[in-house]
mmCIF file of all heavy atoms in Angstrom:
data_model
loop_
_atom_site.group_PDB
_atom_site.id
_atom_site.type_symbol
_atom_site.label_atom_id
_atom_site.label_comp_id
_atom_site.label_asym_id
_atom_site.label_seq_id
_atom_site.Cartn_x
_atom_site.Cartn_y
_atom_site.Cartn_z
ATOM 1 N N PHE A 1 -21.825 -48.373 -18.951
ATOM 2 C CA PHE A 1 -21.575 -46.955 -18.714
ATOM 3 C C PHE A 1 -20.110 -46.561 -18.814
ATOM 4 O O PHE A 1 -19.775 -45.406 -18.607
ATOM 5 C CB PHE A 1 -22.129 -46.561 -17.352
ATOM 6 C CG PHE A 1 -23.616 -46.752 -17.232
ATOM 7 C CD1 PHE A 1 -24.136 -47.843 -16.568
ATOM 8 C CD2 PHE A 1 -24.490 -45.854 -17.814
ATOM 9 C CE1 PHE A 1 -25.506 -48.028 -16.458
ATOM 10 C CE2 PHE A 1 -25.852 -46.027 -17.724
ATOM 11 C CZ PHE A 1 -26.366 -47.119 -17.046
ATOM 12 N N GLY A 2 -19.228 -47.474 -19.130
ATOM 13 C CA GLY A 2 -17.819 -47.152 -19.240
ATOM 14 C C GLY A 2 -17.037 -47.699 -18.066
ATOM 15 O O GLY A 2 -17.588 -48.106 -17.044
ATOM 16 N N SER A 3 -15.711 -47.678 -18.205
ATOM 17 C CA SER A 3 -14.851 -48.300 -17.205
ATOM 18 C C SER A 3 -14.862 -47.560 -15.881
ATOM 19 O O SER A 3 -14.415 -48.090 -14.870
ATOM 20 C CB SER A 3 -13.421 -48.369 -17.739
ATOM 21 O OG SER A 3 -12.948 -47.065 -18.027
ATOM 22 N N ARG A 4 -15.342 -46.334 -15.861
ATOM 23 C CA ARG A 4 -15.465 -45.572 -14.613
ATOM 24 C C ARG A 4 -16.835 -44.919 -14.594
ATOM 25 O O ARG A 4 -17.235 -44.264 -15.563
ATOM 26 C CB ARG A 4 -14.363 -44.527 -14.506
ATOM 27 C CG ARG A 4 -14.381 -43.757 -13.194
ATOM 28 C CD ARG A 4 -13.078 -43.005 -12.964
ATOM 29 N NE ARG A 4 -13.153 -42.156 -11.790
ATOM 30 C CZ ARG A 4 -13.033 -42.581 -10.532
ATOM 31 N NH1 ARG A 4 -12.850 -43.864 -10.306
ATOM 32 N NH2 ARG A 4 -13.105 -41.741 -9.519
ATOM 33 N N LEU A 5 -17.578 -45.089 -13.499
ATOM 34 C CA LEU A 5 -18.954 -44.605 -13.467
ATOM 35 C C LEU A 5 -19.282 -43.971 -12.128
ATOM 36 O O LEU A 5 -18.613 -44.189 -11.113
ATOM 37 C CB LEU A 5 -19.939 -45.734 -13.782
ATOM 38 C CG LEU A 5 -19.975 -46.966 -12.871
ATOM 39 C CD1 LEU A 5 -20.806 -46.733 -11.628
ATOM 40 C CD2 LEU A 5 -20.530 -48.159 -13.635
ATOM 41 N N LEU A 6 -20.352 -43.186 -12.168
ATOM 42 C CA LEU A 6 -20.936 -42.575 -10.974
ATOM 43 C C LEU A 6 -22.367 -43.062 -10.864
ATOM 44 O O LEU A 6 -23.150 -42.946 -11.812
ATOM 45 C CB LEU A 6 -20.912 -41.046 -11.088
ATOM 46 C CG LEU A 6 -21.663 -40.272 -9.994
ATOM 47 C CD1 LEU A 6 -20.971 -40.433 -8.649
ATOM 48 C CD2 LEU A 6 -21.774 -38.792 -10.362
ATOM 49 N N SER A 7 -22.713 -43.644 -9.720
ATOM 50 C CA SER A 7 -24.078 -44.109 -9.488
ATOM 51 C C SER A 7 -24.546 -43.591 -8.139
ATOM 52 O O SER A 7 -23.839 -43.729 -7.129
ATOM 53 C CB SER A 7 -24.143 -45.639 -9.516
ATOM 54 O OG SER A 7 -25.489 -46.091 -9.381
ATOM 55 N N VAL A 8 -25.717 -42.960 -8.123
ATOM 56 C CA VAL A 8 -26.272 -42.356 -6.912
ATOM 57 C C VAL A 8 -27.712 -42.815 -6.764
ATOM 58 O O VAL A 8 -28.498 -42.760 -7.727
ATOM 59 C CB VAL A 8 -26.213 -40.817 -6.970
ATOM 60 C CG1 VAL A 8 -26.853 -40.210 -5.733
ATOM 61 C CG2 VAL A 8 -24.767 -40.347 -7.094
ATOM 62 N N GLY A 9 -28.080 -43.286 -5.582
ATOM 63 C CA GLY A 9 -29.438 -43.738 -5.332
ATOM 64 C C GLY A 9 -29.977 -43.208 -4.013
ATOM 65 O O GLY A 9 -29.219 -43.001 -3.054
ATOM 66 N N MET A 10 -31.294 -42.980 -3.963
ATOM 67 C CA MET A 10 -31.972 -42.524 -2.757
ATOM 68 C C MET A 10 -33.262 -43.294 -2.577
ATOM 69 O O MET A 10 -33.889 -43.712 -3.557
ATOM 70 C CB MET A 10 -32.251 -41.025 -2.822
ATOM 71 C CG MET A 10 -31.004 -40.150 -2.774
ATOM 72 S SD MET A 10 -31.370 -38.375 -2.910
ATOM 73 C CE MET A 10 -31.838 -38.299 -4.652
ATOM 74 N N ALA A 11 -33.669 -43.495 -1.318
ATOM 75 C CA ALA A 11 -34.903 -44.229 -1.033
ATOM 76 C C ALA A 11 -35.526 -43.687 0.244
ATOM 77 O O ALA A 11 -34.825 -43.234 1.160
ATOM 78 C CB ALA A 11 -34.629 -45.721 -0.901
ATOM 79 N N ALA A 12 -36.866 -43.736 0.320
ATOM 80 C CA ALA A 12 -37.606 -43.332 1.508
ATOM 81 C C ALA A 12 -38.840 -44.205 1.624
ATOM 82 O O ALA A 12 -39.430 -44.610 0.612
ATOM 83 C CB ALA A 12 -37.995 -41.856 1.450
ATOM 84 N N ALA A 13 -39.234 -44.518 2.852
ATOM 85 C CA ALA A 13 -40.402 -45.375 3.058
ATOM 86 C C ALA A 13 -41.160 -44.936 4.306
ATOM 87 O O ALA A 13 -40.553 -44.586 5.331
ATOM 88 C CB ALA A 13 -39.983 -46.835 3.180
ATOM 89 N N LEU A 14 -42.480 -44.961 4.216
ATOM 90 C CA LEU A 14 -43.376 -44.678 5.330
ATOM 91 C C LEU A 14 -44.198 -45.931 5.598
ATOM 92 O O LEU A 14 -44.854 -46.451 4.696
ATOM 93 C CB LEU A 14 -44.292 -43.500 4.999
ATOM 94 C CG LEU A 14 -45.293 -43.074 6.082
ATOM 95 C CD1 LEU A 14 -44.571 -42.536 7.315
ATOM 96 C CD2 LEU A 14 -46.259 -42.034 5.525
ATOM 97 N N VAL A 15 -44.152 -46.422 6.823
ATOM 98 C CA VAL A 15 -44.826 -47.678 7.189
ATOM 99 C C VAL A 15 -45.925 -47.399 8.208
ATOM 100 O O VAL A 15 -45.706 -46.669 9.191
ATOM 101 C CB VAL A 15 -43.820 -48.703 7.765
ATOM 102 C CG1 VAL A 15 -44.540 -49.979 8.203
ATOM 103 C CG2 VAL A 15 -42.737 -49.024 6.745
ATOM 104 N N TYR A 16 -47.091 -47.986 7.948
ATOM 105 C CA TYR A 16 -48.207 -47.897 8.877
ATOM 106 C C TYR A 16 -48.591 -49.308 9.308
ATOM 107 O O TYR A 16 -48.969 -50.134 8.474
ATOM 108 C CB TYR A 16 -49.403 -47.200 8.237
ATOM 109 C CG TYR A 16 -50.655 -47.235 9.089
ATOM 110 C CD1 TYR A 16 -50.737 -46.523 10.289
ATOM 111 C CD2 TYR A 16 -51.757 -47.989 8.693
ATOM 112 C CE1 TYR A 16 -51.876 -46.565 11.067
ATOM 113 C CE2 TYR A 16 -52.911 -48.033 9.460
ATOM 114 C CZ TYR A 16 -52.958 -47.325 10.653
ATOM 115 O OH TYR A 16 -54.092 -47.373 11.428
ATOM 116 N N GLU A 17 -48.492 -49.589 10.605
ATOM 117 C CA GLU A 17 -48.837 -50.908 11.144
ATOM 118 C C GLU A 17 -50.285 -50.854 11.632
ATOM 119 O O GLU A 17 -50.562 -50.419 12.753
ATOM 120 C CB GLU A 17 -47.872 -51.277 12.261
ATOM 121 C CG GLU A 17 -46.426 -51.400 11.783
ATOM 122 C CD GLU A 17 -45.455 -51.600 12.931
ATOM 123 O OE1 GLU A 17 -45.884 -51.489 14.103
ATOM 124 O OE2 GLU A 17 -44.263 -51.843 12.660
ATOM 125 N N HIS A 18 -51.183 -51.302 10.781
ATOM 126 C CA HIS A 18 -52.607 -51.240 11.098
ATOM 127 C C HIS A 18 -52.946 -52.123 12.292
ATOM 128 O O HIS A 18 -53.798 -51.774 13.124
ATOM 129 C CB HIS A 18 -53.417 -51.659 9.874
ATOM 130 C CG HIS A 18 -54.896 -51.660 10.090
ATOM 131 N ND1 HIS A 18 -55.622 -50.512 10.289
ATOM 132 C CD2 HIS A 18 -55.784 -52.692 10.152
ATOM 133 C CE1 HIS A 18 -56.892 -50.810 10.456
ATOM 134 N NE2 HIS A 18 -57.022 -52.123 10.390
ATOM 135 N N SER A 19 -52.274 -53.271 12.354
ATOM 136 C CA SER A 19 -52.458 -54.191 13.469
ATOM 137 C C SER A 19 -51.209 -55.047 13.578
ATOM 138 O O SER A 19 -50.243 -54.853 12.834
ATOM 139 C CB SER A 19 -53.703 -55.074 13.247
ATOM 140 O OG SER A 19 -53.493 -55.955 12.137
ATOM 141 N N THR A 20 -51.214 -55.989 14.495
ATOM 142 C CA THR A 20 -50.056 -56.876 14.625
ATOM 143 C C THR A 20 -49.916 -57.799 13.418
ATOM 144 O O THR A 20 -48.857 -58.397 13.216
ATOM 145 C CB THR A 20 -50.186 -57.728 15.898
ATOM 146 O OG1 THR A 20 -51.427 -58.474 15.844
ATOM 147 C CG2 THR A 20 -50.154 -56.852 17.138
ATOM 148 N N ARG A 21 -50.966 -57.878 12.604
ATOM 149 C CA ARG A 21 -50.931 -58.791 11.448
ATOM 150 C C ARG A 21 -50.898 -58.057 10.114
ATOM 151 O O ARG A 21 -50.508 -58.631 9.100
ATOM 152 C CB ARG A 21 -52.155 -59.728 11.479
ATOM 153 C CG ARG A 21 -52.251 -60.549 12.742
ATOM 154 C CD ARG A 21 -53.534 -61.358 12.784
ATOM 155 N NE ARG A 21 -53.573 -62.381 11.751
ATOM 156 C CZ ARG A 21 -54.589 -63.230 11.592
ATOM 157 N NH1 ARG A 21 -55.651 -63.155 12.380
ATOM 158 N NH2 ARG A 21 -54.551 -64.139 10.631
ATOM 159 N N SER A 22 -51.305 -56.794 10.080
ATOM 160 C CA SER A 22 -51.442 -56.074 8.818
ATOM 161 C C SER A 22 -50.633 -54.783 8.843
ATOM 162 O O SER A 22 -50.643 -54.045 9.842
ATOM 163 C CB SER A 22 -52.917 -55.749 8.557
ATOM 164 O OG SER A 22 -53.073 -54.992 7.382
ATOM 165 N N SER A 23 -49.928 -54.496 7.717
ATOM 166 C CA SER A 23 -49.149 -53.252 7.616
ATOM 167 C C SER A 23 -49.147 -52.771 6.170
ATOM 168 O O SER A 23 -49.271 -53.567 5.226
ATOM 169 C CB SER A 23 -47.719 -53.468 8.103
ATOM 170 O OG SER A 23 -47.021 -54.377 7.263
ATOM 171 N N PHE A 24 -48.980 -51.450 6.014
ATOM 172 C CA PHE A 24 -48.887 -50.815 4.705
ATOM 173 C C PHE A 24 -47.544 -50.086 4.611
ATOM 174 O O PHE A 24 -47.080 -49.504 5.593
ATOM 175 C CB PHE A 24 -50.034 -49.815 4.501
ATOM 176 C CG PHE A 24 -51.397 -50.446 4.465
ATOM 177 C CD1 PHE A 24 -52.097 -50.677 5.648
ATOM 178 C CD2 PHE A 24 -51.968 -50.823 3.263
ATOM 179 C CE1 PHE A 24 -53.352 -51.261 5.629
ATOM 180 C CE2 PHE A 24 -53.227 -51.408 3.223
ATOM 181 C CZ PHE A 24 -53.913 -51.635 4.406
ATOM 182 N N ARG A 25 -46.984 -50.099 3.401
ATOM 183 C CA ARG A 25 -45.679 -49.473 3.197
ATOM 184 C C ARG A 25 -45.720 -48.648 1.914
ATOM 185 O O ARG A 25 -45.958 -49.190 0.824
ATOM 186 C CB ARG A 25 -44.590 -50.542 3.097
ATOM 187 C CG ARG A 25 -43.169 -49.989 2.903
ATOM 188 C CD ARG A 25 -42.184 -51.140 2.725
ATOM 189 N NE ARG A 25 -40.815 -50.676 2.612
ATOM 190 C CZ ARG A 25 -40.000 -50.507 3.643
ATOM 191 N NH1 ARG A 25 -40.428 -50.781 4.871
ATOM 192 N NH2 ARG A 25 -38.760 -50.077 3.473
ATOM 193 N N LEU A 26 -45.503 -47.342 2.040
ATOM 194 C CA LEU A 26 -45.428 -46.436 0.897
ATOM 195 C C LEU A 26 -43.964 -46.054 0.718
ATOM 196 O O LEU A 26 -43.339 -45.516 1.640
ATOM 197 C CB LEU A 26 -46.277 -45.191 1.152
ATOM 198 C CG LEU A 26 -46.276 -44.119 0.055
ATOM 199 C CD1 LEU A 26 -46.922 -44.652 -1.226
ATOM 200 C CD2 LEU A 26 -46.998 -42.857 0.536
ATOM 201 N N SER A 27 -43.412 -46.319 -0.448
ATOM 202 C CA SER A 27 -41.978 -46.090 -0.641
ATOM 203 C C SER A 27 -41.703 -45.406 -1.967
ATOM 204 O O SER A 27 -42.463 -45.536 -2.934
ATOM 205 C CB SER A 27 -41.206 -47.410 -0.570
ATOM 206 O OG SER A 27 -41.631 -48.312 -1.561
ATOM 207 N N PHE A 28 -40.596 -44.675 -1.989
ATOM 208 C CA PHE A 28 -40.116 -43.990 -3.178
ATOM 209 C C PHE A 28 -38.606 -44.205 -3.268
ATOM 210 O O PHE A 28 -37.907 -44.150 -2.248
ATOM 211 C CB PHE A 28 -40.426 -42.493 -3.123
ATOM 212 C CG PHE A 28 -41.881 -42.150 -2.968
ATOM 213 C CD1 PHE A 28 -42.438 -42.001 -1.698
ATOM 214 C CD2 PHE A 28 -42.684 -42.001 -4.086
ATOM 215 C CE1 PHE A 28 -43.771 -41.691 -1.547
ATOM 216 C CE2 PHE A 28 -44.024 -41.693 -3.936
ATOM 217 C CZ PHE A 28 -44.570 -41.544 -2.674
ATOM 218 N N ASN A 29 -38.109 -44.438 -4.476
ATOM 219 C CA ASN A 29 -36.661 -44.524 -4.647
ATOM 220 C C ASN A 29 -36.286 -44.116 -6.061
ATOM 221 O O ASN A 29 -37.130 -44.092 -6.970
ATOM 222 C CB ASN A 29 -36.123 -45.923 -4.314
ATOM 223 C CG ASN A 29 -36.659 -47.001 -5.231
ATOM 224 O OD1 ASN A 29 -36.457 -46.966 -6.438
ATOM 225 N ND2 ASN A 29 -37.343 -47.985 -4.652
ATOM 226 N N GLY A 30 -35.041 -43.790 -6.228
ATOM 227 C CA GLY A 30 -34.521 -43.391 -7.532
ATOM 228 C C GLY A 30 -33.040 -43.661 -7.620
ATOM 229 O O GLY A 30 -32.329 -43.691 -6.601
#
């Protein structure tokens, strides 16, 4: 991208702990 660059990132995640052994994670990033 050249000797000088701009990089921007974002992330979000939603976690559901179904039990002490099982969990689900829905995430988005860019």
Side-chain angles (χ1 to χ4, degrees):
F1 299 102
S3 60
R4 184 165 174 79
L5 60 82
L6 172 68
S7 184
V8 177
M10 292 178 288
L14 180 65
V15 177
Y16 172 68
E17 297 173 352
H18 179 68
S19 67
T20 57
R21 302 175 66 179
S22 177
S23 65
F24 295 86
R25 181 184 183 90
L26 178 65
S27 60
F28 302 90
N29 63 61

